[in-house]
Every structure is written in structure tokens, then in C-alpha cells.
Amino acid sequence: MREEISKYQKKLRLSSSLMEIYPNIEAESHEEFLLKLLKELNEDREEKRRIRNLKNAGFQVLKSLEGYDYSQIRFPNSLRVQELESLSFVDKKENLILYGSVGTGKTHLSVALGVKLINEGKKAVFYRVHDLINQLESDDQKKKSSIYKKINQADLLILDEWGYLPLHQEGARLLFDIVSICYETKSIIITTNIEFGKWKGFLFDEKLTAAIVDRLIHHSHMLIFTGKSYRMANSLIR
């Protein structure tokens, strides 16, 4: 009989965990058994989706908001810590610009927010800007289509190290294309140590720079990181 159940489980594309779940369910009626089984199958599916989304997000290291120190961050009047951690800005399709010196916790915060979003059942994707542009300039059309698909399906796009390395004109155009795709359809988090007025220095095209800034700041909150480099302060060399 277990073989028959397994056969229909595969045919109906039910969770592979079905064979481990159903023998442990205790119920006083057929309806109660079915309800408990469906609940556990759904929870199993959601957990597998969460793990898959974390794997596909592109995070180099997973980070958490637990114990995160906000004392060296200046928040705008439009956003408070509680609102940030509730991820309400994602529901509103708003952007975050995390601005400050290297090593002050910008990437940590962006990844931690992305991880929390995924743990709550949504999708986030993470790219270093230069890596993203290099991949989009590849001749591999399948890979490029996959990147656009991931971004289109995500609720949050994290663009790390914005402006750390200069882009040529085609790279700037591709970056503009990505920002335009996300405009008012999903949230973007940018980490940067470059102020707006100097973005032309790595984008080179004045018109593209103006168009990108215009789309990013329309629905944005800027968090300014004022602390010193955490990595320098905790360096083993010191």
C-alpha cells in the first residue's frame, strides 16, 4: 500500500515528505486527518520554498537583524527603525539608499533585511553592481534572461557597492534598464559611499545619471551611516 501511495504522491506532485508525514498524524475523523495532513504538507512546501529562495538570492553570507546596532545611523523623518524592520517599505514599493563610509554596516543591514523578507515568504535578490553588469554583458543569452527573470520575480532588489568601480556607457545603460524595470514595481536597496552629486563620475553619462537618480529618489528613504569602519576597529592586525 505504501508503494501505491508513493506512486500517487509522485503523480500528483505532492511533497516528497508525504511518506514521512502521514504515519505520524493522529486524528479522530477522516476530515481531521485530511486537514492536518494538508496543513503539514503546506508547511513543508513553504519551508522548502524559503530555503530555495535563500539559496537563489545570491547572498555571500547570511546576516540577521538580531542585535544590529543602529546608533551610528541617521534616519530620515519618513522612516523609523520599527518601520524599517517591519519591511513596510517593501509593501509600499519604496527604496532605501544606505550611504556611508566603507565598513560601517551597510551591506550587513541590506542582507539582513533581504533574509528577513525571504523568511516571511517573499523574494529578494542580491547583486554587487559590477558583478551584475558583467553578467548582463555576457554573450550567454540564457544567463541574461535568467537574471532578468529573477529580478522581475523579486519583491526586493539589493544593489551592493554602488559606484565603487566605474562603468562604461553600455554598463550605465544596463544599470538604467534595471532601475527602470524596478521603478514603482518593487523596492531597491542601494549601498554606496558616493554622494548623488558624484554619481556621474562612475556612470559617465550625465543624462543617464539624472534619469537614474530621478527614478531612485522618487520613493526613497536615505539612511546615513556615520560610524567608523567596523572591520578596521576589529582587525586582527590591530
Side-chain angles (χ1 to χ4, degrees):
M1 188 174 289
R2 283 180 63 87
E3 290 181 2
E4 285 287 296
I5 293 172
S6 179
K7 182 182 75 173
Y8 283 110
Q9 168 256 315
K10 294 175 182 176
K11 195 171 184 178
L12 294 170
R13 298 183 179 179
L14 299 175
S15 170
S16 58
S17 302
L18 173 65
M19 303 302 292
E20 288 75 45
I21 291 174
Y22 85 84
N24 300 315
I25 295 177
E26 297 181 1
E28 295 181 358
S29 66
H30 296 306
E31 288 82 3
E32 184 183 2
F33 174 85
L34 180 59
L35 176 60
K36 287 183 176 181
L37 176 61
L38 292 174
K39 279 185 175 180
E40 292 207 30
L41 286 174
N42 182 67
E43 289 173 3
D44 180 72
R45 176 173 292 179
E46 291 298 320
E47 177 61 11
K48 287 178 178 176
R49 180 183 291 119
R50 184 188 71 82
I51 293 171
R52 184 170 63 251
N53 287 341
L54 278 175
K55 183 179 179 180
N56 293 336
F59 301 128
Q60 274 76 41
V61 180
L62 299 184
K63 299 291 185 179
S64 169
L65 292 173
E66 185 176 354
Y68 188 85
D69 182 8
Y70 294 100
S71 64
Q72 301 298 310
I73 303 176
R74 290 213 312 262
F75 277 74
N77 293 330
S78 58
L79 188 71
R80 291 290 178 262
V81 172
Q82 294 79 7
E83 295 171 307
L84 176 72
E85 292 194 347
S86 74
L87 304 173
S88 61
F89 71 94
V90 177
D91 295 328
K92 298 173 184 176
K93 308 293 190 297
E94 295 173 344
N95 305 321
L96 297 181
I97 298 174
L98 311 185
Y99 169 74
S101 300
V102 173
T104 51
K106 303 184 299 296
T107 299
H108 181 136
L109 180 58
S110 69
V111 171
L113 291 169
V115 169
K116 184 177 183 185
L117 187 74
I118 291 173
N119 287 340
E120 293 184 1
K122 295 183 179 180
K123 288 186 178 182
V125 288
F126 174 96
Y127 290 101
R128 289 183 174 134
V129 170
H130 211 261
D131 291 342
L132 173 62
I133 298 305
N134 284 340
Q135 291 179 53
L136 290 177
E137 290 181 325
S138 165
D139 293 329
D140 188 339
Q141 293 298 323
K142 185 176 180 181
K143 186 175 184 179
K144 290 165 67 173
S145 297
S146 175
I147 291 172
Y148 278 108
K149 183 178 179 181
K150 281 178 67 174
I151 292 174
N152 278 321
Q153 291 179 344
D155 301 285
L156 171 65
L157 170 63
I158 301 169
L159 295 174
D160 192 37
E161 299 181 353
W162 178 280
Y164 282 35
L165 294 171
L167 299 175
H168 49 71
Q169 189 170 20
E170 177 61 15
R173 187 197 65 76
L174 287 168
L175 194 56
F176 168 74
D177 189 36
I178 293 297
V179 171
S180 295
I181 287 171
C182 299
Y183 179 60
E184 294 189 327
T185 66
K186 65 184 84 271
S187 293
I188 300 176
I189 296 179
I190 284 175
T191 72
T192 185
N193 63 351
I194 309 294
E195 58 191 76
F196 288 135
K198 296 182 179 179
W199 281 12
K200 184 188 172 185
F202 77 93
L203 291 170
F204 291 107
D205 189 306
E206 188 170 349
K207 290 183 178 179
L208 271 179
T209 302
I212 289 173
V213 170
D214 183 62
R215 283 161 177 76
L216 283 176
I217 68 172
H218 185 201
H219 305 292
S220 272
H221 307 282
M222 177 178 279
L223 278 63
I224 301 176
F225 290 66
T226 61
K228 296 181 180 180
S229 171
Y230 175 84
R231 290 187 287 271
M232 288 294 291
N234 293 274
S235 170
L236 292 175
I237 294 176
R238 289 172 63 88

